[in-house]
Amino acid sequence: MQIFEDRRALHQIPELDRDLPETMAYLKNALKDLKCQVFSPMPSALCAWFDFGAKDSIAFRSDADALPVVERTKAPYASQHPGRMHACGHDGHMAMLLELARRLDQKESLPHNVLLVFQPAEETTGGAKDLCATGIFRKYRIEAIFGIHLWPGLPEGVIASRANEMMSRSCEVKVDIYGKSAHIAKSQEGVDALAAGVEFYRKVMAMEGALPKKVFRLLKFGKFESGTVCNAVSDHTHIEGSLRAFQDDVFYTLRAGIVSVGKEIERSTGCNVCIYMNDGYPAVMNPVGLHERVRKAVGFFELDKPSMVTEDFSWYQRSLPGMFFFLGVGDTPALHSDDFNFNEEVLVKGADFMEGLAESFQ
């Protein structure tokens, strides 16, 4: 099937961030003979516009970038670009959208016009945000945008989503605590950065734990380094973790709480506390009204809880109504792993779902 050929061809030419010349060339060639307008609203992005004469439009999005991963699948169609791999399924996402394009090309009418969007930099700097800034969604009267992501752990071929919280907002948390070293026998002459780090960790985790259990959020630290030798007071502690939440008020309350704890530790220990937190992507939140409209048009499995993984599809949802879905690939290696692969038959299920949504969404 052509959808499998597309996936395998794209899998062999993974490219990073916004530098996608081979990927864009492949997509353009695949679309050039179809009855659609193909254009690039910004570098390393491609759109295909199917005009059915309707008053408004819907859009479907695929990400196009890969990851800096050395592939170890040993597949006959493995990456031909050393150190780069489609380890997050974006090759499959593009193949599904190309298949949808071929199916749209055969249709005489639809309730809406359709815009297909292939974007760069989902894995890095958020190409979705820049695409929104081009104004294409206003120009083409896009009423709603939809996206699908391959999802390990979900049964093969199952399309799943939920209303409201879908994928989390996140930010990195990096903390440096500076004290003063002294020999352990004269510890009173030092300022213990290790003890301050332990106290900082204890207090921020208590702060996060005080939120109601029904509030989806996460604050975890995976790195804690302090000191140099066993018989000297540590003069530096470095801690790294991740903060994730869905509602902006929860996210910013936790960020402010981390900063407040840092100031408290400075006052109580005499250490200097420096905290860095980036902004990250917003949360993917599926609007309740759009969720209900989609459910009336096509069936899908309802998830009971959201994912704490992030996705820049959230930037579309800040500009227009949007809904995100998972497409199950079963018991596969994790996304971003060097041996990630999947049964390509699920791509047909994804294309079927998008075609049904294009035909039935009202």
Side-chain angles (χ1 to χ4, degrees), residues 173 200 204 207 219 243 254-262 275 277:
V173 181
F200 173 87
V204 295
M207 173 201 67
L219 177 61
L243 167 64
L254 287 169
R255 278 174 62 115
I258 291 170
V259 171
S260 178
V261 169
I275 299 173
M277 291 182 282

Side-chain angles (χ1 to χ4, degrees), residues 63-125:
D63 26 24
D65 56 326
L67 288 160
V69 171
V70 176
E71 181 165 355
R72 304 192 189 282
T73 65
K74 298 182 180 179
Y77 49 86
S79 170
Q80 296 179 0
H81 293 172
R84 289 175 281 174
M85 177 187 173
H86 272 298
C88 201
H90 297 185
D91 51 343
H93 302 168
M94 290 185 282
M96 287 189 289
L97 221 56
L98 288 177
E99 175 64 18
L100 177 61
R102 288 187 288 269
R103 297 184 186 189
L104 294 174
D105 188 58
Q106 302 301 312
K107 298 185 185 300
E108 295 297 326
S109 65
L110 280 178
H112 307 270
N113 310 311
V114 180
L115 181 69
L116 307 184
V117 179
F118 300 87
Q119 70 149 87
E122 190 280 324
E123 298 289 356
T124 51
T125 53

Side-chain angles (χ1 to χ4, degrees), residues 251-317:
F251 181 77
Y252 286 112
T253 295
L254 287 169
R255 278 174 62 115
I258 291 170
V259 171
S260 178
V261 169
K263 292 179 179 178
E264 181 182 344
I265 295 300
E266 284 187 328
R267 291 191 297 269
S268 64
T269 68
C271 289
N272 182 31
V273 180
C274 300
I275 299 173
Y276 165 81
M277 291 182 282
N278 64 358
D279 286 333
Y281 297 158
V284 174
M285 300 282 288
N286 291 331
V288 173
L290 183 58
H291 171 274
E292 292 307 309
R293 291 173 67 188
V294 172
R295 177 161 290 287
K296 290 177 181 177
V298 289
F300 57 87
F301 178 76
E302 195 77 31
L303 295 167
D304 61 355
K305 62 182 179 179
S307 168
M308 287 295 177
V309 177
T310 63
E311 235 286 351
D312 86 334
F313 186 84
S314 55
W315 286 117
Y316 297 117
Q317 295 176 319

Side-chain angles (χ1 to χ4, degrees), residues 117-173:
V117 179
F118 300 87
Q119 70 149 87
E122 190 280 324
E123 298 289 356
T124 51
T125 53
K129 184 178 182 180
D130 297 324
L131 262 171
C132 291
T134 67
I136 60 169
F137 301 116
R138 292 189 301 274
K139 178 179 179 180
Y140 290 92
R141 307 181 307 281
I142 305 300
E143 181 182 348
I145 186 168
F146 305 102
I148 297 182
H149 203 300
L150 300 182
W151 209 251
L154 195 64
E156 283 189 4
V158 169
I159 305 285
S161 190
R162 72 191 308 274
N164 294 316
E165 301 98 334
M166 182 69 177
M167 301 181 78
S168 72
R169 181 168 194 161
S170 75
C171 75
E172 296 176 351
V173 181

